[in-house]
Amino acid sequence: MRTTAYVLVADPNFLAASLRSYYEHVDRIVLSYDETSTSWTGTPIPVQECLAIIEALDTEGKCVHAPGHYARLEHHPLDNETYQRQQALDLAAEGADWVVQLDTDEVMLDPGQFFRSLNRADAVGAGAMDYPSRWLYAQVGPGRYLETSTRFGRAAASYPGPLTVRAGTRLRQARQADVPLYRVDLRAWNTDPHHHHESTVHEVISPDAAVLHYSWVRDHDTMQRKFGWSGHAGEYSHPVVYQRWARRQLRPRRTALTSPLRRSEWFRVVSLPEGLGR
Amino acid sequence: MRREQPSVSIIVMADRHPEELRACLRHLGGLATAPDEVVVVPDDAASRQAGVERTTGQIVVFLDATSRVEPDWLDELLAPYQDSAVVGVGGRVLYGEHDGGDERLGETGCLLPNGRLTTNFGADPGRPVQVDHLPSAQASFRREALQQLGSIPSRYPGRSYREVTETSLRLSAAGGRLIFQPAALVRAPALRFPPGMDLLRIREGYFHDRDQVVVLVQAVGWRSPLVPRFAWTTLRAQQDQLRLFADRVRSRGPRAEKRAADRFLETVKPLVWVAAELTGVAAGFPAAAAAAQGQRRRARDPTDAG
């Protein structure tokens, strides 16, 4: 089974850790970026800084550059994201059976388990694999994070989209595709509050084998800029989203303790080994 | 045409409808590649094992008498056996005009971590895929794998499809590969409960859950987390029935035109379903213990049919 990957080169945070976590397991990595270093919303992005990081870790020459024009400001940012991903996916799919589509702030904790699950997904004939991400909301101290959880503080999976798809897949929006999914979760019953409680779970893994998503683990400046370049910019640009994040980062214990009282947005405080995302 | 394939015995499971059996045999006569032997046995608990003992083919195929095979069915069914790790192959079954429910591709023949089984054997994933269990309407096994397993169980009277499920799961748990081959297609009449047969459905629900506990214990053992998970899954699933009951208690609408007795029956039906499912699971544990005891007894004394 030949597996390749593509990455959207835009954000230097966690980029090296993300790529390093699966570098050994893929044959080729397509680097997709805007040739003018401009984001989907028209803001500047540090592409050259990212490429320098990648060059330093690409010891086996697996990375292939694929610049293009993706800052199409006449289109919705999410449409631009889908367009860029599809172009990158099509390039990565050449000569491959499966394509990994991890974002650069997502780090595999146990690549061996990830690719074992992918083998199983392949064997049962799935078209894509939904693999659980643990969504880190904010760093609250050295090695301490606020992580989204179930209402009562158990590990919860989040699924930003299938993390691997079969070569030839057409993306519907961002990483989403209308194909049969092989779904891995952290328990035998769905743990993602955004999915129906009866959603099928094909395989269970330990939270220690999930993908860590350092989604909002940034400093204040980067967070404000991220809300500008993200495909979800329209949704995140409301001041209250940033203010809530800043407040929760300041009072993590209270945020976790009051989680059961909220209708949604539940968190727990977790410790992770320092340097995982470095 | 003669295959360079293992020899094949087809065991047709026939119930009391000779016209269906005739049609099934007629279709078998039209196969591009003929099997080495075809044996017809009654569709009851003990007949699968009896069929195995009376035949000699290296591959044993169980086929429901309601099935209508396509001409290339047998060739397609046998193709995955070229891989020596494959111990069983099942094919696609289309009931009535159903197109197969392809929206659940990837959920064919799975034993899920919550202890439930998916079927979806009408789906067409476009190529052979690995599964945990096979469809009872058309399932084939290597004879030597069945012999290593002992015998095909006969502990599910009246529901012989469970024997194939248990056999498949045990082979899978022992490390054998089972393949669903969608190109091996059979058609069968639509499976429908006639109108007004809700009691039959409820009875089926009870036996389904009871037998599922027995199947799990036999296939993966008491210590597997799948057994308590299945019980918990069934319990969790009742919230939908309880919600339905609450909705029916609250709502009136057009149902107000119905007779009071019909209204009452319709309202309490979800509760009856909950009771059937939960008692089914509860009954599964002593039934599984009895099955395990019977198996130990037979291991000590192989002549004990008990």
Side-chain angles (χ1 to χ4, degrees), chain A residues 120 123 166 180 189 200-202, chain B residues 105-106 113 127 130 132 232-233:
Chain A
R120 179 73 186 156
R166 270 192 200 276
W189 307 274
T200 300
V201 175
H202 291 91
Chain B
L105 279 171
R127 61 204 146 95
Q130 195 171 332
D132 297 313
W232 179 239
T233 303

Side-chain angles (χ1 to χ4, degrees), chain A residues 120 122-126 166 180-182 187-190 196-198 200-204, chain B residues 105-107 110 112-114 116 125 127-130 132 229 232-233 236-237 239-240 243:
Chain A
R120 179 73 186 156
D122 183 62
V124 304
R166 270 192 200 276
L181 286 174
Y182 181 80
R187 295 181 68 208
W189 307 274
N190 167 56
H196 190 266
H197 68 274
E198 291 271 21
T200 300
V201 175
H202 291 91
E203 185 181 343
V204 179
Chain B
L105 279 171
E107 288 186 29
C110 299
L112 298 176
N114 65 8
R116 283 191 167 173
R127 61 204 146 95
V129 296
Q130 195 171 332
D132 297 313
R229 279 182 192 165
W232 179 239
T233 303
R236 280 165 59 105
Q239 56 186 307
D240 289 341
R243 239 176 250 134

Side-chain angles (χ1 to χ4, degrees), chain B residues 65-150:
Chain B
T66 52
S67 303
R68 311 284 178 264
V69 301
E70 300 283 307
D72 60 349
W73 165 74
L74 191 56
D75 296 307
E76 297 290 356
L77 194 72
L78 294 179
Y81 282 108
Q82 286 172 4
D83 178 351
S84 60
V86 171
V87 295
V89 180
R92 189 170 175 219
V93 186
L94 285 185
Y95 289 100
E97 298 303 313
H98 186 49
D99 66 0
D102 286 358
E103 74 281 359
R104 290 192 296 123
L105 279 171
E107 288 186 29
T108 301
C110 299
L111 172 57
L112 298 176
N114 65 8
R116 283 191 167 173
L117 293 166
T118 64
T119 50
N120 201 26
F121 292 116
D124 182 7
R127 61 204 146 95
V129 296
Q130 195 171 332
V131 291
D132 297 313
H133 70 108
L134 300 176
S136 62
Q138 57 148 330
S140 68
F141 300 99
R142 279 191 202 276
R143 179 177 294 275
E144 57 178 342
L146 290 179
Q147 285 167 342
Q148 281 168 12
L149 209 60

Side-chain angles (χ1 to χ4, degrees), chain A residues 200-242:
Chain A
T200 300
V201 175
H202 291 91
E203 185 181 343
V204 179
I205 57 156
S206 152
D208 298 335
V211 163
L212 274 188
H213 187 184
Y214 289 87
S215 182
W216 289 10
V217 179
R218 316 291 159 104
D219 57 41
H220 288 252
D221 280 353
T222 316
M223 276 302 284
Q224 280 166 326
R225 275 189 284 121
K226 180 181 166 78
F227 287 168
W229 81 54
S230 165
H232 301 277
E235 185 187 328
Y236 292 161
S237 57
H238 300 291
V240 66
V241 177
Y242 168 73

Side-chain angles (χ1 to χ4, degrees), chain B residues 236-248 267 269-274 277:
Chain B
R236 280 165 59 105
Q238 304 315 314
Q239 56 186 307
D240 289 341
Q241 294 293 338
L242 294 176
R243 239 176 250 134
L244 185 61
F245 171 69
D247 286 349
R248 287 185 179 176
T267 305
K269 210 183 288 170
L271 289 186
V272 177
W273 188 260
V274 169
E277 289 226 84

